[in-house]
Amino acid sequence: MTSQTTLIGPGPHPGGPDRPNGPDTTHSADSTGSTGSSDGLQAGLKNRHLSMIAIGGVIGAGLFVGSGTGIAAAGPAILLSYALVGLMVVFVMRMLGEMAAARPSSGSFSAYADQALGRWAGFSIGWLYWFFWVVVLAVEATAGAKILEGWVPGVPQWAWALIVMVVLTATNLVSVGSYGEFEFWFAGIKVVAIGAFVVVGLLAVFGLLPGSDNPGAGLAHLTDTGGFFPQGPGAVLTGVLMVVFSFMGSEIVTLAAGESENPQRAVQKATNSVIWRIAVFYLGSILVVLTLLPWNDPSIVKDGSYVAALNSIGIPHAGQVMNVIVLTAVLSCLNSGLYTASRMAFSLGGRGDAPKAFARTNKRGVPQAAILSSVVFGFVAVFFNYQWPDTVFQFLLNSSGAVALFVWLVICFTQLRMRGMILRESPEKLIVRMWLFPYLTWATIAMISFVLVYMLTDDGGREQVLLSLLVAALVVAVSLVREARNRRNGTEAKAPADA
């Protein structure tokens, strides 16, 4: 039995969420009797799925694995690094939430850039974002395979990577509901684990945990080893470079909202809760590590910050406990990365900026071609990671390294223009508003630009920025050439509706 398909062409398509003049949450019944969104995607994500995606979206494996390096570089002042980046993310999410609540879209910021800044902007940032996530697929598959190989050494690492990719591809192909269900449990485990870590850790910090091996020094460790700035105030900026990319993923909920029954409510809840999520999960957990151990304790880098903290309390088998949690974070990131890349490819296909096949959905409302094309590139990147880890794969990593900052910049500039468009066309849909507009938007642009410029002074960051700029310039050039060619041929693809 063949699957029925829905195809969106590049021209105007009234009623789809990427189209500003159409209803934002129109649904229609397909042949299966289920309800689907008007662009062919199913509204299969429940409120509990969206809530957990929103909560877990800011918790990546980088928080567990990479925080020790940041602590070693900046000492207790790494808290300021996390706070600065967290503030930046809160502002960016507020801007994105304003646009996503008014115009829910599977393409999120790429579709909004298309409408507000021009076809070149939507095309460029959409493909760059897709590229970022398919590289992440390879990174996370390899990280998960290393943990699994340690548990079952009889299966080679490449086989574990293959198994993990195949299983999560299958769940994404079944339905958006299966993605949501897997992510609900993955994110739930991360949230419970970090919540328990913060509570138990704070009890040990103040000497209230029965049987703890930790002396319960209170907040003394924040200043008793060289002060709060042991590496100097400038180390705060070095810390910013190390932690900024662990926040990537906060925006996933705005893509997923397009496949929920009440997108506006989902986006509003996610936007309003981002402050406490960052405060508890990032600042809270790092504060616990820094108060349980002196910042220069060798075990923080050797064993990992969270394992070292758990060991200091006397939690048995702390390393294995954290391996389970890190594996969960890896699988969550893989699951969401594949979902996010495929939905961005789907949106690009619907706007005529990618092959039309990407915009087709099967009878379950799943963009099958978009998912498979994304995972194929992910498989290729995994192969590069095993075959040429220090050359080809390192190039892929570095050339996608600054894309997160580019995405945030585009969101800022898009929101500057989109606010006026929403007020003119449908002011009643402006249910989430950016604070102190436009001053905080411009301040956020300045903050992100400063981080990019500062990265050029850092040996590791310089290569990432320059290679990412090179790839971005190539993608922008392709989009401009396409537009010029289409104008000459008189076949220019129209922007969505009257954007």
Side-chain angles (χ1 to χ4, degrees), residues 237 240-241 444-456:
L237 293 176
V240 164
L241 303 187
T444 308
I445 290 172
M447 289 167 66
I448 298 169
S449 301
F450 177 80
V451 172
L452 281 168
V453 172
Y454 188 76
M455 284 179 74
L456 292 173

Side-chain angles (χ1 to χ4, degrees), residues 196-206 208-216 288-289 291-293 305-316 318:
F197 175 80
V198 171
V199 171
V200 171
L202 287 176
L203 289 174
V205 164
F206 294 105
L208 302 175
L209 186 67
S212 172
D213 296 342
N214 194 278
V288 166
V289 173
T291 47
L292 285 174
L293 293 163
S305 54
Y306 290 81
V307 173
L310 290 173
N311 282 333
S312 76
I313 297 173
I315 301 290

Side-chain angles (χ1 to χ4, degrees), residues 290 362 375:
L290 289 167
N362 61 22
V375 83

Side-chain angles (χ1 to χ4, degrees), residues 9-309:
H13 179 76
D18 287 352
R19 307 297 187 254
N21 288 341
D24 290 313
T25 55
T26 305
H27 298 88
S28 58
D30 63 14
S31 62
T32 64
S34 59
T35 301
S37 63
S38 60
D39 59 3
L41 295 174
Q42 288 287 326
L45 292 177
K46 300 174 182 176
N47 285 336
R48 65 184 178 86
H49 294 155
L50 266 294
S51 297
M52 198 56 74
I53 290 169
I55 294 171
V58 293
I59 310 170
L63 175 63
F64 300 104
V65 179
S67 53
T69 308
I71 291 172
I78 194 69
L79 284 169
L80 295 181
S81 305
Y82 275 101
L84 285 171
V85 179
L87 186 65
M88 200 158 62
V89 171
V90 166
F91 291 159
V92 170
M93 277 298 293
R94 188 76 186 180
M95 288 180 254
L96 184 54
E98 175 180 297
M99 297 182 287
R103 297 178 175 179
S105 166
S106 60
S108 189
F109 51 84
S110 172
Y112 309 141
D114 199 315
Q115 297 162 18
L117 303 179
R119 299 305 305 279
W120 68 271
F123 176 96
S124 303
I125 205 62
W127 277 114
L128 285 172
Y129 192 68
W130 178 87
F131 173 60
F132 172 87
W133 279 109
V134 292
V135 173
V136 166
L137 291 181
V139 174
E140 301 296 339
T142 305
K146 286 180 179 177
I147 294 174
L148 290 166
E149 187 190 30
W151 293 345
V152 187
V155 179
Q157 196 178 113
W158 65 266
W160 278 122
L162 182 65
I163 291 168
V164 166
M165 291 278 277
V166 167
V167 169
L168 291 179
T169 300
T171 63
N172 274 266
L173 285 172
V174 170
S175 70
V176 68
S178 65
Y179 154 73
E181 200 62 35
F182 267 73
E183 191 56 26
F184 175 81
W185 291 105
F186 287 153
I189 291 171
K190 289 189 293 184
V191 169
V192 170
I194 294 187
F197 175 80
V198 171
V199 171
V200 171
L202 287 176
L203 289 174
V205 164
F206 294 105
L208 302 175
L209 186 67
S212 172
D213 296 342
N214 194 278
L219 302 179
H221 286 322
L222 293 177
T223 54
D224 64 4
T225 314
F228 190 73
F229 297 97
Q231 308 282 46
V236 173
L237 293 176
T238 303
V240 164
L241 303 187
M242 292 180 166
V243 307
V244 68
F245 302 109
S246 64
F247 282 85
M248 192 66 168
S250 306
E251 68 290 330
I252 290 174
V253 69
T254 63
L255 281 83
E259 292 178 82
S260 68
E261 294 178 354
N262 193 335
Q264 286 89 349
R265 181 173 175 272
V267 169
Q268 193 172 12
K269 278 184 67 176
T271 305
N272 290 338
S273 65
V274 71
I275 297 174
W276 72 259
R277 287 186 278 133
I278 288 173
V280 172
F281 297 129
Y282 279 86
L283 292 175
S285 61
I286 297 299
L287 175 65
V288 166
V289 173
L290 289 167
T291 47
L292 285 174
L293 293 163
W295 70 271
N296 58 354
D297 190 303
S299 65
I300 290 180
V301 174
K302 180 187 173 187
D303 301 327
S305 54
Y306 290 81
V307 173

